[in-house]
Amino acid sequence: MNLDPFANSGLSGKTKSSADEIFVKSKTGSAGRRAAPAEAPEPMEIPVAEAAPEPEKKKNLAKLSNPAWDAEKVGFNEETPISVNLELPEDLAHKTKVTFELFAKTPKGPERISQGEGAADAGKATCKIPVYIPAYKDEDGNSMQKVEYYFLAKHSEADPLDGSKSPKVVDEKADRVIESHIVEGITFEFDSSFLHPKHAAKLKDMCALIGEWRKKDPEGKLASFGHADLVGDETYNKGLSERRARSVQALLVKDPQGWEDLHKEEKWDLSPVQSLLLHAGEDPGTVDGKDGPKTQAAVKAFQGKNGLGETGTADAETRKALYKKFMSDSNALDLKVKDFDSIDGAPHCGCSEFNPLEKTEGKSETNRRVTVLFLKSNKNFPINYPCKKGSIAPCQAQVKKKPGVRRRDSYKCFFYDDLVKEEKKGGTVTPPAGKIKLVGVKEGEDAKQYVNMKADKAKPDQGTERHIEAEVEGAADGTKVFWKITAAKENSKRNDPKAGAKPDDKGKLTEFKAEVAEIETSVKGGKASFVLACGLAGGDSFTVEAGLEKGKADGTLKVVTWRKAWHQVTREKGLELPALTNFIKA
């Protein structure tokens, strides 16, 4: 019997002294003698066990179904709700968690975009998932302009649900403003931030409107933007507009100390107190800012009814009690500072005189206003405000940005103009001015453009460029018109001359990217136009869309390019084919 302990290790050639170094530990813990080898036992006959059956695959006890995009419109850079139905047996009713993964279809295959989770309620699991723009870029370094998104839903007790057959097409960025409200008719006295009690009814309506917004979107954030007229220095007006925004925000969160701070900063006289006493049902006499016997008696009466010392003097505590009563009477909301977006660390912002509603250099009560915005702002897609408290430098930088390109001509700040997409006054939508009608072609027909015929002003369908014109009924001069031109994928790839769009004959060409070119022009004399550069190829086609709101087409036109050889036989119906020699000469 071979008892060499190294026989199977390739070390059986060791000497006896090496083998003697193997010890058995004694019961006392000290090193013991080498153990005596035991006799090898006789081999036992062990019956061969039958092969174990294959384990039965776990049955899926839950079921996922009906992948859905719960928002009708989805844009890049927003959180959007998606959902699935979840069926659970009673013993798994506690397992409500569903995870979601969002994917984008790109030329290189699916790209994972984001993930989230939701708990099922009443058989439906919903998740708000971020819709980022895919990282994929084409050979020119351009991001995708139109993307199909789909999502995968998973549950621990169900087969994964593939929602690729129910994709969502996204082709524009999401607006950041959910709602906005110019506090129409609620204006400020010259060089003041005091919200006069005469506006109480309108302030009450505004607060009710904000309450409706929050019911529809509880996660939306508010922002208060103050404005000034053009009288005075831009830097001074920056501070004044900030105080006006603070005044409205303080009312919305019912913060009387906020108004007391404004009282001290602006050195309000006794007029605000007299106006607030009238609102509270006390008679201070003439609202003139003078501390007469009637005013003192009214202050004393108010103090007595509100548990304050009856001194007849409108001290800080009395003023704050008056502010609190007015705020509570005007505002039934329960808002906190956290319900407002942070703008340079504050829940409000001032725009100085840069965004007037009324174009005028003199005093304008209309421009001494506040706009309240309800925003899509969250941790995934925060709004990056360029605004800085007390500084007009960022404002001036925004004024210089993209000169002349504004949705509202009177707004000089590019950021504010871009943010305030659609303003609402008194709770009703201000409709876009006028209706668009594309002209120069019969309804239902394509516009033919004979690209290698000599350009002729009397014949707009000749030449490589075509003026596209629209009539805009009832629109004021300066109203923006948004043009979107889509080139057919089958179009020629020749690029001399290049195809694209220009605002006018001498304007800069906007070339097609991913078959799309977008420009803006303004209404003048009831009309708006742009120049379509068609290139020189025959058989190309371009679809033109025009609208008063970006992304919304009010009129559509198709332009098809033709070449000289067929000009004479296709230009007009019923024209007979001439002799070949005459045809060539023509």
Side-chain angles (χ1 to χ4, degrees), residues 220-530:
K221 294 283 187 179
L222 291 159
S224 172
F225 282 83
H227 304 274
D229 61 25
L230 275 71
V231 177
D233 178 75
E234 289 176 353
T235 300
Y236 180 83
N237 284 340
K238 171 71 172 174
L240 175 58
S241 62
E242 286 175 349
R243 293 194 296 274
R244 287 171 175 163
R246 279 168 56 194
S247 183
V248 170
Q249 192 269 340
L251 177 132
L252 290 173
V253 296
K254 289 180 274 198
D255 174 24
Q257 184 60 49
W259 278 17
E260 180 61 15
D261 293 341
L262 291 169
H263 164 88
K264 292 175 181 176
E265 286 181 48
E266 292 188 344
K267 297 180 173 58
W268 292 351
D269 64 13
L270 204 57
S271 298
V273 168
Q274 292 170 325
S275 298
L276 290 167
L277 284 167
L278 278 171
H279 172 81
E282 308 298 340
D283 182 10
T286 305
V287 178
D288 55 7
K290 296 178 181 179
D291 190 14
K294 267 200 155 186
T295 296
Q296 292 172 8
V299 169
K300 194 171 184 179
F302 177 80
Q303 289 170 330
K305 293 175 183 177
N306 289 273
L308 301 169
E310 298 179 35
T311 63
T313 300
D315 57 10
E317 290 306 308
T318 302
R319 290 195 297 268
K320 285 196 282 187
L322 282 165
Y323 301 152
K324 185 177 181 179
K325 175 169 176 53
F326 176 63
M327 290 173 175
S328 298
D329 290 348
S330 306
N331 177 12
L333 297 169
D334 182 23
L335 294 173
K336 310 295 181 189
V337 174
K338 67 179 179 62
D339 297 317
F340 289 75
D341 215 5
S342 177
I343 308 171
D344 192 29
H348 43 68
C349 181
C351 291
S352 186
E353 61 190 56
F354 296 114
N355 300 306
L357 280 178
E358 185 178 48
K359 284 186 175 181
T360 177
E361 295 293 326
K363 289 184 179 181
S364 169
E365 188 175 351
T366 300
N367 291 334
R368 302 194 294 263
R369 72 193 195 281
V370 166
T371 300
V372 177
L373 306 182
F374 196 45
L375 307 161
K376 290 180 181 176
S377 180
N378 51 63
K379 63 182 180 180
N380 288 309
F381 303 111
I383 295 173
N384 297 314
Y385 297 91
C387 322
K388 294 292 179 185
K389 184 179 178 182
S391 172
I392 62 169
C395 306
Q396 291 171 330
Q398 290 294 319
V399 167
K400 293 176 183 177
K401 192 174 181 181
K402 295 187 180 179
V405 182
R406 298 289 185 272
R407 292 179 64 94
R408 179 185 283 270
D409 283 349
S410 59
Y411 290 168
K412 296 179 182 178
C413 173
F414 178 81
F415 169 79
Y416 184 80
D417 178 81
D418 191 52
L419 184 65
V420 185
K421 296 291 187 185
E422 183 179 275
E423 290 176 330
K424 297 193 173 185
K425 299 181 179 183
T428 58
V429 178
T430 303
K435 294 181 180 179
I436 287 182
K437 181 183 179 183
L438 287 159
V439 297
V441 65
K442 291 181 181 179
E443 190 173 346
E445 292 185 4
D446 295 340
K448 290 183 179 181
Q449 188 67 19
Y450 298 94
V451 290
N452 66 344
M453 295 294 289
K454 186 178 178 180
D456 186 340
K457 286 186 178 180
K459 298 175 181 178
D461 59 354
Q462 292 185 185
T464 60
E465 295 185 348
R466 184 181 183 112
H467 285 73
I468 307 293
E469 189 176 70
E471 294 177 349
V472 190
E473 298 174 9
D477 282 3
T479 300
K480 296 293 182 187
V481 175
F482 300 89
W483 304 90
K484 179 180 179 181
I485 307 94
T486 305
K489 290 183 179 180
E490 301 78 19
N491 282 6
S492 168
K493 302 305 178 187
R494 67 162 45 173
N495 59 2
D496 185 21
K498 292 182 177 179
K502 302 192 298 184
D504 50 49
D505 289 319
K506 297 179 181 179
K508 183 180 177 182
L509 180 72
T510 298
E511 295 182 42
F512 288 101
K513 290 185 178 180
E515 287 87 39
V516 174
E518 292 183 289
I519 63 168
E520 301 173 16
T521 63
S522 299
V523 173
K524 187 175 181 180
K527 293 182 179 180
S529 64
F530 82 99

